[in-house]
Amino acid sequence: MESHGAGIRRVMVLAFCVAGIWSAYIYQGVLQETVSTKRFGPNKERFEHLAFLNLAQNVVCLIWSFMMIRIWSSGNSGGAPWWSYWSAGITNTIGPAMGIEALKYISYPAQVLAKSSKMIPVMLMGAIVYGIRYTVPEYVCTLLVAGGVSMFALLKTSSKTISKLAHPNAPVGYGLCFLNLTFDGFTNATQDSIKARYPKTSAWDIMLGMNLWGTIYNMIFMFGWSNASGFEAVQFCKQHPEAAWDILMYCLCGAVGQNFIFLTISRFGSLTNTTITTTRKFVSIVVSSVLSGNPLSTKQWTSVIMVFSGLSFQIYLKWRKLQRMPKKKKKSN
C-alpha cells in the first residue's frame, strides 16, 4: 500500500510539473506574441523595442533566483563565483535578443518551429568540427526536423498573419533564429563547463549568475548612451500601461516556468523535462493558430507534424539509450 501511495504521489507531482510548465510557457508565448504584434493606444503604435523584454526578464529572474537562494539555500559554499558567468552572459544576452527580434519578421509559430531545430547546428558542429559519428536513426530525426522547418519556411504565409508583422522578411527572421540557436549552443557549453569545474553549483546559482550578467549587459545596451532604445521603451510603457503589464506578466511566467523546470529535472530527470517542453511547443503553436488568429494551411500543419515527429523520435532514442545503460552496468559487474 505504501508503494502504491508513493506511486500516486509521484504521478501527482508529475502532473503538477506538466501543468506548471505548460501554463507558464504557453501563456508567456501568448504574451510575447501580443507584445510583438499588437498596436497600442489610439494611435495604434507598435512596441518596437523587443530586446527590452530580455532586460526585464533578466531583472525579474535575478530577483527571483536571489529570493529562492535566500529561502532554500542550506548555506553550503563551493558554488561557482559570480564572475565566472561573464562569458556565458554575453552569448545568453545576444542569442535570446536575436530570437525575440525574429518576431518582427516571421510569425510566432514559425519562430517556435525554427527554435525547435536546435539539434541541426549541434549535429553539424559535432560531425564537421569534432568528427562525431551519428547513427542512422539520429540522421532520420534531423532530416524530419530540417525538412519540416524548410517546408514551413518555403510555404506561403497567410496575408492575415503577414499583416500583423512589423517588417515581414522570412530570410531575416529565420536567420536570426539560427543565430539564436548558435549562441545558445555556446551558452550551454559554457554552463556545462562551469558546472564541471564547480560541482556544488545549484540551478539557482546558475540562474542568478546568468541573469546578473544579462542585466549588466542589457542595461549597457539599452541605457548606455543618451539616445539608447531603453529610454524609448520605458516611455512607451508609461504611455501604455497595458504593454507594461503584459511585459511584467511575461517576465513572471518565465521565472515561474524555471521553477517547474528545476523541479521536473530534480524529480524525474532531464529526459522527462525535454518531453514536457517539446509537447508544450506543439501546444503553443496550436494556441497561436486558434487564439491569436495565425491560421495555418494543411501543408503547414504537415510541416509542424514532421518537426515534432522528429523531436519525438529523438526523445524515444534517448529513452532507449537510458534503458540500455543499466543492462550494460549489470553485465560489467
Side-chain angles (χ1 to χ4, degrees):
M1 287 295 291
E2 286 184 13
S3 61
H4 179 68
I8 292 174
R9 282 195 298 272
R10 187 171 172 81
V11 170
M12 289 178 66
V13 172
L14 179 60
F16 180 62
C17 290
V18 172
I21 291 173
W22 277 31
S23 58
Y25 286 110
I26 289 172
Y27 187 45
Q28 188 185 47
V30 171
L31 291 167
Q32 187 182 58
E33 188 173 5
T34 299
V35 173
S36 63
T37 60
K38 187 176 177 178
R39 294 179 182 271
F40 295 91
N43 296 327
K44 303 296 181 183
E45 297 175 280
R46 287 183 182 273
F47 184 74
E48 292 281 355
H49 313 289
L50 296 182
F52 185 76
L53 288 175
N54 289 327
L55 170 59
Q57 181 80 90
N58 286 144
V59 173
V60 170
C61 286
L62 175 63
I63 297 169
W64 188 278
S65 56
F66 179 77
M67 289 169 55
M68 292 298 104
I69 289 172
R70 297 291 292 181
I71 294 169
W72 300 109
S73 177
S74 58
N76 294 333
S77 58
W82 65 271
W83 50 262
S84 62
Y85 298 94
W86 72 269
S87 59
I90 293 174
T91 53
N92 195 49
T93 299
I94 298 172
M98 289 182 168
I100 204 163
E101 281 290 316
L103 289 172
K104 292 181 180 179
Y105 306 97
I106 57 176
S107 67
Y108 179 73
Q111 186 227 35
V112 172
L113 270 193
K115 291 177 70 175
S116 297
S117 60
K118 186 180 288 188
M119 67 170 73
I120 298 172
V122 169
M123 286 185 69
L124 282 174
M125 290 286 286
I128 297 169
V129 178
Y130 300 107
I132 299 172
R133 292 185 177 182
Y134 296 98
T135 63
V136 172
E138 286 174 324
Y139 280 115
V140 170
C141 292
T142 308
L143 286 172
L144 279 169
V145 173
V149 173
S150 302
M151 184 175 163
F152 192 96
L154 293 171
L155 290 169
K156 186 179 179 181
T157 305
S158 71
S159 56
K160 185 178 179 181
T161 301
I162 291 174
S163 66
K164 292 183 178 182
L165 303 177
H167 312 288
N169 191 319
V172 173
Y174 284 105
L176 286 169
C177 287
F178 184 79
L179 288 171
N180 181 187
L181 293 178
T182 304
F183 279 106
D184 279 354
F186 284 110
T187 301
N188 294 337
T190 308
Q191 286 179 340
D192 290 341
S193 174
I194 292 170
K195 185 72 175 174
R197 277 184 288 151
Y198 304 96
K200 293 184 180 180
T201 302
S202 69
W204 294 120
D205 292 329
I206 294 174
M207 189 176 178
L208 180 71
M210 294 296 292
N211 285 290
L212 172 63
W213 285 102
T215 299
I216 293 170
Y217 295 140
N218 273 310
M219 285 291 287
I220 293 170
F221 173 69
M222 300 295 294
F223 298 98
W225 52 93
S226 58
N227 60 341
S229 59
F231 297 105
E232 293 180 14
V234 171
Q235 189 61 33
F236 188 95
C237 290
K238 286 181 179 178
Q239 294 173 354
H240 307 285
E242 186 182 353
W245 177 254
D246 286 343
I247 292 170
L248 175 61
M249 292 303 296
Y250 168 86
C251 297
L252 289 175
C253 284
V256 172
Q258 284 292 324
N259 270 320
F260 284 104
I261 283 177
F262 294 156
L263 177 62
T264 303
I265 292 172
S266 65
R267 293 292 186 92
F268 305 99
S270 58
L271 184 60
T272 300
N273 180 65
T274 301
T275 305
I276 295 169
T277 53
T278 299
T279 51
R280 189 276 304 172
K281 290 174 183 177
F282 181 81
V283 176
S284 290
I285 291 176
V286 175
V287 170
S288 176
S289 177
V290 175
L291 296 184
S292 301
N294 289 321
L296 300 182
S297 66
T298 304
K299 291 181 179 178
Q300 285 177 317
W301 277 117
T302 303
S303 305
V304 171
I305 291 168
M306 278 180 65
V307 171
F308 284 96
S309 295
L311 294 175
S312 300
F313 191 28
Q314 184 193 40
I315 292 169
Y316 168 72
L317 292 175
K318 288 181 179 178
W319 173 80
R320 200 169 65 173
K321 185 183 287 186
L322 285 173
Q323 294 295 105
R324 288 174 183 165
M325 286 175 67
K327 294 179 182 178
K328 288 182 179 179
K329 286 181 180 178
K330 286 180 182 178
K331 286 180 182 179
S332 62
N333 292 335

